[in-house]
Amino acid sequence: SIEAVRDALRLPSPGSTVAIPDGAELDVDGLSPLFTPNADFYRVDTALTVPAVDPDSWRLVVDGMVDQRVELSFQDLVDMGVDEYVITLTCVSNEVGGDLVGNARWLGVPIRDVLAMAGVRDGADMLLSTSVDGYTASPPLSAGTDEGLDAILAIGMNGEPLPLEHGFPVRMVVPGLYGYVSATKWVTRLKVTTFAQDEAYWTPRGYSAEAPIKLSSRVDTPRSDTPIDAGTVAIAGMAWAQTVGIEKVEVRIDDGDWQQATLSTAVNDDTWVQWYLEWDATPGTHYVAVRAVDKAGTVQTEERAPIAPDGSTGWHRPLITVTG
């Protein structure tokens, strides 16, 4: 079985690893961990049955507007040299305060290195990626060629081969773009093309062709469905602004003043951060609102927007019940 093949696969040692700084993870009950366990990592795709792809038979084709067609085996990809990356992924279907977002250590090869082997021709602006099951996604070509962006072909996730449901043996991981335009699982083809010539799976279904991840934050604890006792309580949650980074997080109780929360130390600008604020909770019901500010000075908008066509917006504002 493919599960047995995966279990027997030994990942190569990365040429470089990511140092996790002190203070990257806060010790607060009810707060999401810095790294999302593979078993808990969200899964959203169009595969009714998880594809079973043997690494020995897997091939990646790079074609389209290139100087030469390239075809790589799994071993060819590994032989290019793999490194470790820490990147947060977000689904466009994530509602305000939702959990369709996760952070992991990835092992992979930069997409730009693979594209360089093919030679990208002038005039191209889209990288149409195709899954073994026919699904397509359309990150801008710049996401795959930018030296400052770690868009990768990933083979490992949190220290083990990719789980089958997360794209084994190879998937794409692109910082700063919603998964539906970038995070193709079971990827088998990269076509260098244009937005004028091609469109991906979700574009004719009402979603934007390009979809940068929006600045967002959420409250993890306390929860609206679990009453808490009056007294000193830690309000805590997550915030993310992939490729830009979080500058600060602010919390407001009911209609009071905004208070600045304490942040964890960010691993990098491509990952989420944790935050917390101590609150002297009084009996009754209280709205707890959170908003983030990124390093470019952008303040998370209060305006509510649905997930279509390019991601939800608004402040997470759960109603918390405090008992006497």
Side-chain angles (χ1 to χ4, degrees), residues 172-240:
M172 289 174 60
V173 176
V174 182
L177 297 177
Y178 284 118
Y180 83 96
V181 299
S182 67
T184 304
K185 302 173 185 175
W186 315 289
V187 62
T188 58
R189 184 186 182 196
L190 298 177
K191 179 184 178 183
V192 178
T193 182
T194 66
F195 283 101
Q197 177 179 334
D198 285 300
E199 63 180 7
Y201 180 88
W202 284 110
T203 306
R205 291 167 171 81
Y207 285 81
S208 299
E210 299 187 55
I213 292 172
K214 295 178 179 178
L215 170 64
S216 192
S217 58
R218 75 177 188 216
V219 178
D220 282 1
T221 184
R223 296 171 52 90
S224 58
D225 59 358
T226 306
I228 60 173
D229 294 332
T232 302
V233 175
I235 305 172
M238 316 298 288
W240 54 92

Side-chain angles (χ1 to χ4, degrees), residues 78-249:
V78 169
D79 288 345
M80 292 178 67
V82 298
D83 291 305
E84 183 183 65
Y85 303 85
V86 177
I87 300 170
T88 296
L89 292 186
T90 310
C91 182
V92 73
S93 298
N94 195 48
E95 298 280 4
V96 172
D99 60 0
L100 299 182
V101 54
N103 187 54
R105 295 175 182 262
W106 307 94
L107 198 66
V109 175
I111 292 173
R112 59 178 174 269
D113 291 354
V114 174
L115 293 178
M117 297 173 65
V120 175
R121 293 180 182 172
D122 292 341
D125 63 6
M126 186 228 272
L127 186 62
L128 187 69
S129 56
T130 303
S131 168
V132 69
D133 66 350
Y135 176 81
T136 53
S138 58
L141 178 62
S142 59
T145 57
D146 188 343
E147 290 288 340
L149 188 70
D150 290 327
I152 63 171
L153 293 165
I155 64 170
M157 182 179 182
N158 287 329
E160 60 184 66
L162 293 172
L164 268 61
E165 64 271 20
H166 288 292
F168 181 81
V170 183
R171 69 170 295 167
M172 289 174 60
V173 176
V174 182
L177 297 177
Y178 284 118
Y180 83 96
V181 299
S182 67
T184 304
K185 302 173 185 175
W186 315 289
V187 62
T188 58
R189 184 186 182 196
L190 298 177
K191 179 184 178 183
V192 178
T193 182
T194 66
F195 283 101
Q197 177 179 334
D198 285 300
E199 63 180 7
Y201 180 88
W202 284 110
T203 306
R205 291 167 171 81
Y207 285 81
S208 299
E210 299 187 55
I213 292 172
K214 295 178 179 178
L215 170 64
S216 192
S217 58
R218 75 177 188 216
V219 178
D220 282 1
T221 184
R223 296 171 52 90
S224 58
D225 59 358
T226 306
I228 60 173
D229 294 332
T232 302
V233 175
I235 305 172
M238 316 298 288
W240 54 92
Q242 284 101 316
T243 75
V244 180
I246 294 292
E247 180 65 30
K248 64 180 179 179
V249 169

Side-chain angles (χ1 to χ4, degrees), residues 34-48:
L34 173 62
F35 293 105
T36 310
N38 290 354
D40 298 333
F41 209 97
Y42 77 90
R43 178 196 167 196
V44 178
D45 53 54
T46 60
L48 298 180

Side-chain angles (χ1 to χ4, degrees), residues 21-83:
D22 292 340
E25 187 151 23
L26 303 175
D27 184 16
V28 179
D29 288 342
L31 180 60
S32 297
L34 173 62
F35 293 105
T36 310
N38 290 354
D40 298 333
F41 209 97
Y42 77 90
R43 178 196 167 196
V44 178
D45 53 54
T46 60
L48 298 180
T49 301
V50 175
V53 183
D54 191 326
D56 287 342
S57 61
W58 176 86
R59 295 293 184 273
L60 177 71
V61 171
V62 184
D63 61 6
M65 297 172 65
V66 296
D67 295 333
Q68 61 179 355
R69 180 183 181 275
V70 170
E71 182 171 325
L72 299 175
S73 67
F74 184 80
Q75 192 60 50
D76 291 334
L77 187 66
V78 169
D79 288 345
M80 292 178 67
V82 298
D83 291 305

